[in-house]
Amino acid sequence: QGMRDGMRWLLRENQPGDILVFHYSGHGLRIIDGRGGYEEGRLEHILLASDLNTIRDTERHQLMSQQLVEDATLIALLDCCNSAAAFSLRYQLFCDGAVLIDGALEETQGDVIVIAGCRADGGSIVTMNEEPQRPSGAITMLFFQTLRHTACLDSYHSFLRQLCRNMQSLGFGQEPQLTYGKEPLPEVFFSKKF
């Protein structure tokens, strides 16, 4: 319940021009929906909270994507297995620049941008942070390292390319992806002050 309440709090009274940030580092899973109805047999992408409650991708999409007002931006960093499909967003950007469009999904009202640690069917690696020395998800560690150590990050495309290069240089097998809810993807990358 705590994660749901946090999502609702984040979106409460969001206004045009707002930039909201959501970070999740934990367990992500895929299960087959057995609840009946039109989604019967569909793969659901689940976030598993520390209290062992789960939040399905369809619920996250409704909470986060549909309640975001037009001209507001939600940036989510997801450091968990199966994270690329965690918000059920229409567009998916890969390391090589290819874009996959899911025609069954509608565009979001505001800009929803998810920096996912891995593919929808991929795993997420735990590694050690530089300072302080403690366990961290690979994408969380590389997200902040890339922001700190890269001189030119002028777009989400260039940021994703740099994240992918950094992931490969460390020998991690996971492939970061960027998913987003509407075209066009904003050209300007968010400020380094984050």
Side-chain angles (χ1 to χ4, degrees), residues 175-186:
E175 181 184 338
Q177 291 182 355
L178 195 138
T179 63
Y180 54 104
K182 73 176 191 177
E183 284 280 322
L185 180 63

Side-chain angles (χ1 to χ4, degrees), residues 147-193:
L147 283 179
R148 278 194 301 267
H149 302 298
T150 306
C152 182
L153 295 172
D154 58 352
S155 71
Y156 285 98
H157 286 85
S158 65
F159 183 71
L160 179 64
R161 279 193 302 273
Q162 189 60 49
L163 267 179
C164 293
R165 283 193 287 269
N166 292 349
M167 190 73 75
Q168 285 179 337
S169 73
L170 292 173
F172 298 149
Q174 68 191 70
E175 181 184 338
Q177 291 182 355
L178 195 138
T179 63
Y180 54 104
K182 73 176 191 177
E183 284 280 322
L185 180 63
E187 286 296 317
V188 179
F189 187 66
F190 58 89
S191 167
K192 282 193 172 191
K193 64 186 171 185

Side-chain angles (χ1 to χ4, degrees), residues 13 15 44 54 62 71-72 76 78 109 116 122 133 147 166 188:
E13 301 175 17
Q15 313 248 334
E44 284 267 51
T54 60
Q62 184 177 19
D71 295 326
L78 299 179
Q109 291 183 90
Q133 281 283 318
L147 283 179
N166 292 349
V188 179

Side-chain angles (χ1 to χ4, degrees), residues 65-84:
S65 307
Q66 294 177 352
Q67 293 181 21
L68 189 67
V69 300
E70 193 171 347
D71 295 326
T73 302
L74 170 67
I75 300 168
L77 174 61
L78 299 179
D79 198 341
C80 60
C81 295
N82 315 117
S83 54

Side-chain angles (χ1 to χ4, degrees), residues 32 96 122 146:
I32 294 177
D96 65 3
T146 302

Side-chain angles (χ1 to χ4, degrees), residues 25-187:
S25 188
H27 291 290
L29 348 143
R30 292 188 312 168
I31 62 169
I32 294 177
D33 188 335
R35 297 177 293 172
Y38 79 95
E39 293 185 351
E40 179 74 34
R42 174 186 169 276
L43 272 179
E44 284 267 51
H45 296 81
I46 306 290
L47 297 183
L48 181 62
S50 59
D51 60 6
L52 300 182
N53 282 313
T54 60
I55 302 179
R56 297 170 180 266
D57 58 348
T58 49
E59 183 180 4
R60 279 188 309 281
H61 182 80
Q62 184 177 19
L63 280 170
M64 303 289 269
S65 307
Q66 294 177 352
Q67 293 181 21
L68 189 67
V69 300
E70 193 171 347
D71 295 326
T73 302
L74 170 67
I75 300 168
L77 174 61
L78 299 179
D79 198 341
C80 60
C81 295
N82 315 117
S83 54
F87 272 64
S88 298
L89 297 173
R90 183 177 174 103
Y91 303 97
Q92 198 167 1
L93 177 64
F94 297 89
C95 289
D96 65 3
V99 176
L100 176 68
I101 301 171
D102 186 339
L105 296 170
E106 293 182 15
E107 289 197 348
T108 56
Q109 291 183 90
D111 287 310
V112 180
I113 301 162
V114 175
I115 300 162
C118 61
R119 298 182 338 205
D121 62 351
S124 191
I125 296 168
V126 175
T127 187
M128 291 299 283
N129 256 343
E130 292 174 345
E131 292 293 325
Q133 281 283 318
R134 64 176 177 210
S136 172
I139 196 68
T140 299
M141 178 189 75
L142 288 175
F143 175 84
F144 291 107
Q145 282 181 3
T146 302
L147 283 179
R148 278 194 301 267
H149 302 298
T150 306
C152 182
L153 295 172
D154 58 352
S155 71
Y156 285 98
H157 286 85
S158 65
F159 183 71
L160 179 64
R161 279 193 302 273
Q162 189 60 49
L163 267 179
C164 293
R165 283 193 287 269
N166 292 349
M167 190 73 75
Q168 285 179 337
S169 73
L170 292 173
F172 298 149
Q174 68 191 70
E175 181 184 338
Q177 291 182 355
L178 195 138
T179 63
Y180 54 104
K182 73 176 191 177
E183 284 280 322
L185 180 63
E187 286 296 317

